[in-house]
Amino acid sequence: MKMSAASLLLLLHLSCLFWNGLAVPQFPEKEKDPSYWTVWAQRTLSSSLELENLNKNVAKNLILFLGDGMGVPTVTAARILKGQLNGESGEESQLEMDKFPYVSLSKTYNTNAQVADSAGTATAYLCGVKANEGTVGVSAAAVRSQCNTTFGNEVTSILKWAKDAGKSVGIVTTTRVNHATPSAAYAHCVDRDWFSDGEMPTEALEAGCKDIALQLFENIPDINVIMGGGRKYMAPRNSSDVEYPGERKHSGTRRDGRNLVEEWRSRMADRKGHYVWNRRDLLSLNPSNVDYLLGLFEPGDLPYELNRNNETDPSLTEMVGVAIQVLQRNPQGFYLLVEGGRIDHGHHEGKAKQALHEVVEMDQAIVRAGQLTSVRDTLTVVTADHSHVFSFGGYTPRGNSIFGLAPTVSDVDQKPFTSILYGNGPGFKLVNGVRENVSTVDYEHNNYQAQSAVPLRMETHGGEDVAVFSRGPMAHLLHGVQEQNYIPHVMAYAACIGQNTLHCQSASGHAPTLAVTPPTLTALLILTGLLC
């Protein structure tokens, strides 16, 4: 049978893929020497032994880095990407979070969901209680979208505990500042999508429920730093955006006619308050002359890091740097919530390259935070709210591009496949009734949607545990496999805020162990819990 030129070329291509998969991977010559690995292991052992001297200082500062959707496979793939961006094979490189001395696992389920969403999880790691999916800052007694279940079921966050203790507090995110993650820090809302009153049903407004943007400015009116996107939710309906005056999709959404930004500016006029909406104005600020900072850099979410306009939009690292310089002016310390929020969006869209570059950028922000603070008095925690059905595999050789092909073709349909795949999502595609041949497309493009097993318009979250990295005072308390709502209790204990104050001895600068409750009192508390 005569073979066409196109078929011959395809066969040659597939053969190359196969033989490349059998080739011996390239790696540094020094790795052939057993002493290389022994010295590395001994050095790691030495530093591990130093951890016996636990840091039990009182945490003056608290920083929580939340990678939205940053599951363990995402962390691993981002580590490889970071190394490859630096000209290495990638596998041996380290993310900044990898260097944290303590790592544990967090169980992410919501009270009514096996696979969690970002709202219920935010309530857990910020307010210390598990909650229903889709709700923020309310207990599991509140029902999504039912306004009347809000009242009496509100729960407060560690950001408020820190503020009440006299610390400065801040929120930095790459999403809207009234998105699921940041909103649980200040809002009590039975629907995460009530961004402004323009997204709320009339009956909810009439019943007395408030939109999340309004709660940002009213519930804790003196949040020192707020940075992210979300301008349109603060402005009257149909009012033009300062950056995109001709684009209706960016116009204001508020039905009440209020301009929340102007109200904030008026209130902060004599309090060293500054509002900025672009990178230039942000970086021109003198942090030593700023007590309050509101930065809203986009009408909605900030752009992906790979798409960011370096002239107009600040990076997450730049925002974190300015935020800490403002917050650390308070001699009583600070609490800062930092969200790498668009990791999640990249995965939902099946765009792994966008998601992983977001992780690398957040890791740079962690580096910057470390440069501006001390491990002696700053507890830093890095974690995720949930994972995604993202994976990479296929027996790839050392140094294989993290966005590249597996070394062999499928032994079922004889087509190549990328190492990165999704369990479901928009990357599912059939061509003439069969799986698309990825070698015919640019699978390393920024917006390439990796193939998925099940077709969905948006990829879903994953249900497995996520990692919790910690360093600083009392970081060792984040150990083992824990419920997600345990995280803010540890952070509060370390800083002697919230309900964790009686055990503190401020004069010594140490936070001793909790006092042992008398047996009779313990029994009474257990009985009360059972009856209630």
Side-chain angles (χ1 to χ4, degrees):
M1 188 177 81
K2 212 168 182 179
M3 187 176 287
S4 69
S7 300
L8 189 61
L9 284 172
L10 178 60
L11 181 61
L12 182 61
H13 176 72
L14 295 178
S15 299
C16 288
L17 288 172
F18 176 77
W19 287 110
N20 285 340
L22 295 180
V24 177
Q26 298 300 309
F27 53 86
E29 191 69 22
K30 62 187 177 184
E31 293 186 10
K32 297 178 180 178
D33 185 349
S35 66
Y36 169 79
W37 300 105
T38 301
V39 169
W40 190 341
Q42 288 297 315
R43 186 170 60 245
T44 304
L45 179 59
S46 258
S47 61
S48 297
L49 289 169
E50 293 176 9
L51 297 180
E52 291 181 357
N53 301 317
L54 300 177
N55 181 348
K56 294 186 178 182
N57 296 337
V58 171
K60 177 182 177 181
N61 309 313
L62 300 170
I63 306 176
L64 176 63
F65 280 93
L66 193 285
D68 198 313
M70 190 181 71
V72 172
T74 299
V75 173
T76 308
R79 176 190 305 130
I80 294 172
L81 172 60
K82 179 181 178 180
Q84 292 181 348
L85 290 173
N86 291 328
E88 304 164 358
S89 65
E91 299 83 2
E92 72 288 352
S93 66
Q94 279 189 305
L95 292 166
E96 186 67 15
M97 65 186 88
D98 292 338
K99 302 172 187 176
F100 282 30
Y102 301 98
V103 183
S104 58
L105 292 176
S106 165
K107 296 156 66 177
T108 63
Y109 67 92
N110 296 148
T111 47
N112 66 339
Q114 186 178 74
V115 178
D117 96 312
S118 297
T121 50
T123 304
Y125 61 75
L126 291 174
C127 302
V129 299
K130 288 255 182 178
N132 291 330
E133 60 87 25
T135 66
V136 292
V138 288
S139 71
V143 181
R144 184 170 189 175
S145 301
Q146 293 186 20
C147 171
N148 64 341
T149 65
T150 307
F151 312 109
N153 294 321
E154 300 92 341
V155 291
T156 58
S157 77
I158 187 171
L159 182 139
K160 188 175 191 309
W161 309 341
K163 190 67 177 176
D164 290 345
K167 295 183 183 295
S168 292
V169 295
I171 296 169
V172 174
T173 178
T174 52
T175 67
R176 289 151 277 183
V177 294
N178 49 349
H179 208 257
T181 295
S183 63
Y186 57 81
H188 312 289
C189 193
V190 292
D191 197 315
R192 57 174 287 180
D193 295 328
W194 291 353
F195 300 121
S196 76
D197 62 346
E199 289 77 38
M200 293 179 66
T202 301
E203 55 269 25
L205 290 168
E206 291 174 347
C209 280
K210 294 182 179 181
D211 63 90
I212 296 171
L214 186 60
Q215 292 189 57
L216 170 62
F217 296 102
E218 291 190 351
N219 288 4
I220 309 175
D222 289 340
I223 296 175
N224 300 83
V225 173
I226 304 168
M227 281 194 278
R231 283 194 302 258
K232 67 181 181 180
Y233 304 107
M234 320 297 173
R237 174 170 283 187
N238 296 327
S239 59
S240 295
D241 182 75
V242 63
E243 191 174 3
Y244 310 100
E247 300 185 38
R248 287 185 59 82
K249 67 179 180 179
H250 295 315
S251 297
T253 64
R254 301 200 64 79
R255 284 191 284 175
D256 59 11
R258 296 175 66 174
N259 188 317
L260 303 182
V261 170
E262 289 306 314
E263 291 178 19
W264 182 91
R265 294 179 75 174
S266 177
R267 190 170 73 247
M268 296 296 177
D270 300 321
R271 302 177 64 186
K272 293 185 179 180
H274 297 263
Y275 168 68
V276 294
W277 61 269
N278 60 67
R279 179 177 182 267
R280 181 189 64 253
D281 290 349
L282 173 67
L283 299 184
S284 67
L285 289 173
N286 179 359
S288 63
N289 194 39
V290 178
D291 285 339
Y292 298 94
L293 173 59
L294 174 61
L296 300 176
F297 304 105
E298 286 289 329
D301 300 322
L302 272 60
Y304 287 120
E305 178 61 22
L306 282 176
N307 302 345
R308 183 169 62 87
N309 184 325
N310 294 337
E311 298 297 319
T312 57
D313 293 311
S315 67
L316 182 61
T317 301
E318 289 168 338
M319 290 192 290
V320 167
V322 174
I324 292 176
Q325 290 176 77
V326 171
L327 296 173
Q328 65 187 2
R329 296 177 60 230
N330 185 340
Q332 296 187 63
F334 65 84
Y335 173 87
L336 176 61
L337 168 64
V338 180
E339 182 197 19
R342 304 224 62 195
I343 301 167
D344 178 71
H345 296 172
H347 280 322
H348 278 310
E349 294 176 358
K351 298 175 181 177
K353 192 167 188 176
Q354 297 284 9
L356 297 186
H357 275 271
E358 292 295 305
V359 179
V360 172
E361 172 56 28
M362 191 181 83
D363 202 62
Q364 282 300 113
I366 297 170
V367 172
R368 183 65 178 137
Q371 293 168 342
L372 293 170
T373 58
S374 167
V375 71
R376 181 183 57 81
D377 65 0
T378 301
L379 172 60
T380 304
V381 177
V382 181
T383 189
D385 45 359
H386 55 73
S387 186
H388 277 267
V389 290
F390 163 87
S391 67
F392 72 99
Y395 303 113
T396 48
R398 178 81 174 269
N400 198 73
S401 167
I402 192 61
F403 305 116
L405 296 174
T408 59
V409 299
S410 164
D411 57 4
V412 175
D413 67 8
Q414 284 73 52
K415 289 189 176 73
F417 59 97
T418 54
S419 173
I420 285 176
L421 297 167
Y422 286 96
N424 57 51
F428 181 93
K429 184 180 290 186
L430 295 177
V431 178
N432 297 324
V434 295
R435 184 171 68 92
E436 181 182 48
N437 187 334
V438 295
S439 66
T440 65
V441 298
D442 183 4
Y443 49 79
E444 297 222 22
H445 189 276
N446 289 355
N447 292 320
Y448 172 71
Q449 293 177 310
Q451 291 184 337
S452 66
V454 176
L456 289 177
R457 288 187 177 90
M458 295 290 281
E459 177 264 4
T460 71
H461 295 169
E464 74 269 24
D465 299 346
V466 297
V468 184
F469 306 85
S470 55
R471 72 179 176 199
M474 295 293 170
H476 57 279
L477 297 180
L478 287 164
H479 65 95
V481 180
Q482 304 290 354
E483 296 288 355
Q484 195 168 42
N485 66 292
Y486 175 63
I487 294 171
H489 291 279
V490 169
M491 298 184 77
Y493 178 82
C496 297
I497 61 174
Q499 64 183 1
N500 293 280
T501 56
L502 296 179
H503 66 287
C504 299
Q505 295 178 351
S506 56
S508 69
H510 292 274
T513 55
L514 287 168
V516 178
T517 308
T520 52
L521 180 56
T522 300
L524 181 60
L525 289 171
I526 293 172
L527 179 60
T528 303
L530 291 173
L531 292 174
C532 297

